[in-house]
């Protein structure tokens, strides 16, 4: 079960049929999912029709309607800011802008191949073609990101269709895979083991000293941190010093390198 607008819903069976994937819902099991629900669903009136059959009760008056790990004052300020932005129309898409974005992506992608085809594969044309192709691929990633959020068209199906064209055809990655991971990222941002953006390949990456400890603990099995400062862990009654062995790249304070992130995404796309 989970809570939306102080109402409790049993989503045990529905989670398997959820268009956004079951993990997004499971991350909020037993918690308040109001803000995530609003963020993920543009047409709330349509989605709430499906919630009626899942309703099993309401929160008691003395129970808070927000996540326990969040401050009520900050959450109220955020909700007020979101309503203000929505009323100002800042969330409405500019179709001309997105059309020009898509057009310049196609031009850059075509130019990268035409340069090599017309001028040959000597050094200068080859580097120019690589530059065009790299810029196009990076921009395609951000464009399909907006499509994945259903931020370009009002109807989700048109966003999904164009996203498939951009990421599947032009970039060579499955849209369903990207949506599955990115939905979890926005459902639980910066939550270790729930946010896929933090769950980089355990043999290559970890983020910060605390996460490095957790990664090594996860590989060793059930463990408890004895002294965070000295980085010692207890595994099956034995004390083991943690020397960041599994973290070839320890990124302090979640300073993520774009290069390492791209490498991690590449590994994930294959595995």
């Amino acid at each position: 079960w989970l809570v939306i607008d102080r109402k409790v819903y049993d989503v045990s069976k529905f989670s398997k049929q959820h268009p956004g994937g079951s993990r997004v819902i499971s991350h909020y099991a037993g918690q308040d999912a109001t803000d995530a629900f609003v963020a993920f669903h543009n047409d709330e009136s349509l989605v709430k029709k499906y919630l009626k059959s899942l309703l099993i009760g309401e929160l008691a008056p003395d129970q808070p309607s927000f996540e326990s790990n969040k401050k009520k004052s900050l959450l109220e300020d955020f909700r007020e800011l979101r309503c203000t932005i929505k009323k100002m129309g800042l969330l409405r898409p500019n179709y001309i802008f997105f059309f020009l974005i898509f057009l310049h992506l196609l031009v850059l992608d075509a130019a990268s191949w035409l340069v090599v085809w017309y001028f040959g594969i000597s050094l200068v044309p080859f580097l120019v073609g690589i530059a065009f192709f790299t810029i196009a691929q990076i921009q395609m990633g951000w464009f399909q990101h907006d499509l994945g959020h259903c931020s370009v068209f009002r109807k989700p199906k048109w966003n999904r269709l164009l996203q498939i064209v951009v990421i599947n055809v032009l970039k060579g990655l499955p849209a369903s895979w990207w949506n599955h991971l990115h939905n979890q990222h926005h459902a639980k941002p910066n939550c270790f083991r729930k946010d896929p953006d933090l769950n980089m390949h355990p043999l290559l990456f970890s983020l910060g000293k605390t996460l490095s400890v957790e990664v090594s603990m996860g590989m060793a099995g059930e463990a408890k941190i004895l002294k965070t400062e000295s980085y010692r862990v207890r595994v099956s009654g034995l004390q083991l010093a943690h020397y960041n062995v599994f973290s070839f790249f320890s990124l302090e304070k979640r300073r993520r390198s774009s290069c390492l992130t791209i490498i991690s995404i590449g590994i994930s796309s294959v595995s």
Side-chain angles (χ1 to χ4, degrees):
W1 60 268
L2 51 77
V3 178
I4 300 175
D5 289 331
R6 301 196 63 82
K7 295 183 178 180
V8 184
Y9 298 92
D10 183 358
V11 293
S12 301
K13 296 181 179 179
F14 173 77
S15 62
K16 299 179 181 179
Q17 304 172 352
H18 183 231
S22 60
R23 287 193 181 182
V24 177
I25 291 183
S26 65
H27 289 338
Y28 278 93
Q31 302 178 30
D32 188 289
T34 302
D35 294 291
F37 175 82
V38 174
F40 277 100
H41 304 95
N42 295 329
D43 193 348
E44 296 179 36
S45 58
L46 175 63
V47 179
K48 285 184 177 180
K49 293 180 180 179
Y50 296 93
L51 291 178
K52 292 181 179 179
S53 61
L54 307 177
L55 182 65
I56 58 175
E58 294 188 16
L59 288 180
D62 60 333
Q63 292 295 319
S65 182
F66 56 90
E67 293 181 65
S68 57
N69 61 337
K70 294 183 178 180
K71 293 183 179 180
K72 182 179 180 181
S73 58
L74 292 177
L75 193 58
E76 290 176 346
D77 289 343
F78 169 76
R79 291 175 178 176
E80 183 180 353
L81 177 62
R82 182 180 59 203
C83 292
T84 302
I85 292 175
K86 191 173 183 179
K87 290 179 181 179
M88 294 173 64
L90 298 179
L91 299 180
R92 288 196 295 266
N94 187 324
Y95 295 113
I96 297 178
F97 169 78
F98 284 112
F99 172 76
L100 294 177
I101 288 290
F102 186 51
L103 181 62
H104 104 274
L105 294 179
L106 296 178
V107 171
L108 285 173
D109 193 58
S112 66
W113 295 103
L114 287 174
V115 167
V116 176
W117 173 76
Y118 187 79
F119 294 101
I121 57 174
S122 57
L123 181 61
V124 174
F126 183 70
L127 293 178
V128 172
I130 288 179
F132 284 157
F133 185 77
T134 302
I135 295 173
Q137 287 292 309
I138 294 174
Q139 292 297 318
M140 285 177 190
W142 290 113
F143 183 53
Q144 73 83 26
H145 171 274
D146 292 339
L147 292 167
H149 280 285
C150 297
S151 301
V152 178
F153 301 105
R154 292 185 178 180
K155 293 186 177 181
K157 64 179 181 180
W158 292 113
N159 287 283
R160 301 303 185 200
L161 180 61
L162 188 54
Q163 184 192 26
I164 290 175
V165 173
V166 175
I167 189 172
N168 286 47
V169 179
L170 298 179
K171 287 188 66 66
L173 293 172
S176 57
W177 164 79
W178 187 89
N179 290 331
H180 173 69
L181 296 180
H182 201 65
N183 286 340
Q184 295 180 67
H185 161 67
H186 280 285
K188 287 289 184 178
N190 299 334
C191 292
F192 190 56
R193 303 189 190 283
K194 291 187 177 182
D195 182 355
D197 281 15
L198 293 183
N199 297 341
M200 291 185 173
H201 197 280
L203 294 180
L204 299 179
F205 310 100
S206 65
L207 307 177
K209 292 183 178 179
T210 302
L211 296 186
S212 300
V213 173
E214 292 185 14
V215 168
S216 65
M217 288 167 59
M219 292 182 175
E222 295 295 330
K224 296 182 179 179
I225 296 179
L226 295 180
K227 297 181 180 179
T228 305
E229 294 79 7
S230 60
Y231 294 91
R232 299 184 69 82
V233 299
R234 179 181 294 275
V235 182
S236 301
L238 300 176
Q239 289 190 2
L240 301 176
H242 172 69
Y243 294 107
N244 221 13
V245 176
F246 300 106
S247 306
F248 301 146
F249 302 99
S250 182
L251 311 183
E252 294 294 334
K253 298 181 180 179
R254 201 176 177 273
R255 296 175 183 171
R256 295 188 297 170
S257 165
S258 299
C259 179
L260 299 183
T261 303
I262 292 173
I263 295 174
S264 178
I265 291 175
I267 294 174
S268 300
S269 66
V270 175
S271 58

